[in-house]
Amino acid sequence: MFNQEFLNKLRNFMIFIIVYTLIFVLFFSTLSYTLPFVIGIIVSLVSLPIVKFLRYKLKFKESLSSLIAVILVYTIFILILIGIFTKITYETKQLISSIPKINTIIPYIQEYFDKLRLYYDNIDPSLVPKIEEQITKFAYSSLDITITIFNKLLSLVLKLPVMFLILFVSFLSSYFFSKDMLNFKSSILNIFTTEGKIKFTRFVHELTKSITNYFKAYSFIVTITFLETFIGFTILRINYALILSIVAAIFDVLPILGVGAVYLSVAIYHIIIKKYIVAIGLLILYLIVTIVRQILEPKLVSTSLGLHPVAVLAAIFIGIKAYGFVGMLYLIFLMVLYNILKKNKHIIGI
């Protein structure tokens, strides 16, 4: 029914899907065990240009150049984290200190409950059980959320020794990977024939370029969201602009929450305190951020991956609907790898 060329392509495509899925599942299912070494490989790759400069330009020894490069990368990363944490801590203290004391809140709470009691006394008796049921459900939901947050914080505190251990192992693995990285390529290439070396080098180059461009594209989008939010919140004189901007940038990556969770919450708060102009400004800013992201995301990501914008949108939507953020990564990297292999048909013949 079908010609042989189509059947061969279909067979190769199915083999590719199976192998890719097995590798993807294996990677994420073992990530809790291999995380320090994954971090070590990433840091060693980031520090590779520094290692090359120290070894070939300044004539440092191999071990010394790797040690300096890795320490420099970790130092820069830690200083950035410290700077962000310090600013967040400062704004959090301001936020806590600005919260009214409990004695000043009690009269307002009492007044609210007095009004609620009057309304409750005049309400239709047939509606009382339903209202009580809804209030009970809301109370239990609030309690569940509180318990969940507390458990998360407690588990984070308990995991601190493990986090330090991960950091220590990551540093050591980064050093050893960085030390051997320049020789690693030649060791891998030695298992191939002369023609195989050319094919493998080309494939790795295409793969590295595509993945790097993908992360650059999303980093650029998140940075734009952060800057738009920070500048807009500063202009609108929103308190704790830095914290809210960081949260908005983080939520921008998350498929369920999105940047709207921050903007709409802040806008509703300003409506409650009757600052309607600020609330309108926030909604306009949210509209601008959303439009900019919708324009940039398909264009930047599709250009960086060499894929059609519709294919990228389909991968993002279907992946998120199926398995969330991991599902989106699965489909996007599936298309990236398949696209690379199509460009290099001589590698596996698809």
Side-chain angles (χ1 to χ4, degrees), residues 43-53 69 73 177-178 181-182:
V43 171
S44 65
L45 290 173
V46 172
S47 64
L48 189 58
I50 304 173
V51 173
K52 288 181 178 179
F53 176 78
V73 171
F177 281 133
S178 176
M181 188 61 68
L182 294 175

Side-chain angles (χ1 to χ4, degrees), residues 33 84-85 89-90 113 131 168-169 177 271 279:
Y33 304 101
I84 294 173
F85 180 76
T89 304
Y90 172 74
F113 275 105
I131 294 174
F168 177 71
V169 176
F177 281 133
I271 290 173

Side-chain angles (χ1 to χ4, degrees), residues 29-243:
S29 61
T30 60
L31 189 59
S32 59
Y33 304 101
T34 60
L35 181 60
F37 308 102
V38 172
I39 295 173
I41 292 173
I42 294 172
V43 171
S44 65
L45 290 173
V46 172
S47 64
L48 189 58
I50 304 173
V51 173
K52 288 181 178 179
F53 176 78
L54 293 174
R55 283 187 63 180
Y56 300 130
K57 297 292 184 180
L58 301 182
K59 306 300 180 182
F60 280 33
K61 291 182 178 180
E62 182 181 288
S63 56
L64 182 59
S65 59
S66 298
L67 182 61
I68 293 173
V70 169
I71 290 175
L72 184 61
V73 171
Y74 273 98
T75 302
I76 293 172
F77 179 71
I78 291 172
L79 286 176
I80 292 172
L81 284 182
I82 290 173
I84 294 173
F85 180 76
T86 303
K87 183 64 176 176
I88 289 175
T89 304
Y90 172 74
E91 291 195 358
T92 304
K93 286 181 179 178
Q94 281 190 318
L95 177 62
I96 294 172
S97 63
S98 67
I99 296 175
K101 301 297 182 183
I102 188 66
N103 293 333
T104 62
I105 296 177
I106 288 176
Y108 294 100
I109 296 175
Q110 186 64 45
E111 182 183 355
Y112 173 77
F113 275 105
D114 289 339
K115 291 180 179 178
L116 188 63
R117 190 180 298 108
L118 290 173
Y119 175 77
Y120 190 79
D121 291 338
N122 296 325
I123 203 169
D124 185 356
S126 62
L127 297 176
V128 171
K130 294 182 179 179
I131 294 174
E132 289 178 345
E133 182 183 353
Q134 293 300 320
I135 292 173
T136 304
K137 286 182 179 178
F138 177 76
Y140 277 115
S141 299
S142 302
L143 182 61
D144 288 340
I145 293 171
T146 305
I147 292 173
T148 302
I149 293 173
F150 179 76
N151 287 335
K152 292 288 184 184
L153 292 174
L154 184 61
S155 64
L156 181 63
V157 172
L158 293 175
K159 287 179 181 177
L160 281 177
V162 179
M163 292 170 67
F164 282 116
L165 178 62
I166 290 173
L167 182 62
F168 177 71
V169 176
S170 299
F171 178 82
L172 291 180
S173 63
S174 300
Y175 168 71
F176 288 115
F177 281 133
S178 176
K179 184 180 176 182
D180 299 330
M181 188 61 68
L182 294 175
N183 302 322
F184 182 71
K185 182 178 178 181
S186 59
S187 301
I188 291 293
L189 289 177
N190 285 335
I191 68 176
F192 295 102
T193 62
T194 303
E195 184 182 358
K197 290 178 182 179
I198 297 173
K199 292 179 180 180
F200 180 77
T201 303
R202 188 177 300 172
F203 172 74
V204 171
H205 174 72
E206 289 286 341
L207 178 62
T208 305
K209 184 175 71 173
S210 297
I211 294 176
T212 302
N213 288 341
Y214 173 75
F215 282 108
K216 282 181 180 178
Y218 259 107
S219 298
F220 179 75
I221 291 171
V222 171
T223 303
I224 290 295
T225 300
F226 169 78
L227 291 176
E228 287 173 331
T229 304
F230 184 69
I231 293 170
F233 280 19
T234 303
I235 293 172
L236 293 171
R237 296 186 178 181
I238 305 295
N239 293 329
Y240 324 110
L242 180 64
I243 290 179

Side-chain angles (χ1 to χ4, degrees), residues 260-277:
V262 174
Y263 276 86
L264 296 179
S265 300
V266 178
I268 291 170
Y269 168 75
H270 282 85
I271 290 173
I272 293 173
I273 63 175
K274 298 181 180 180
K275 291 187 177 181
Y276 302 113
I277 301 298

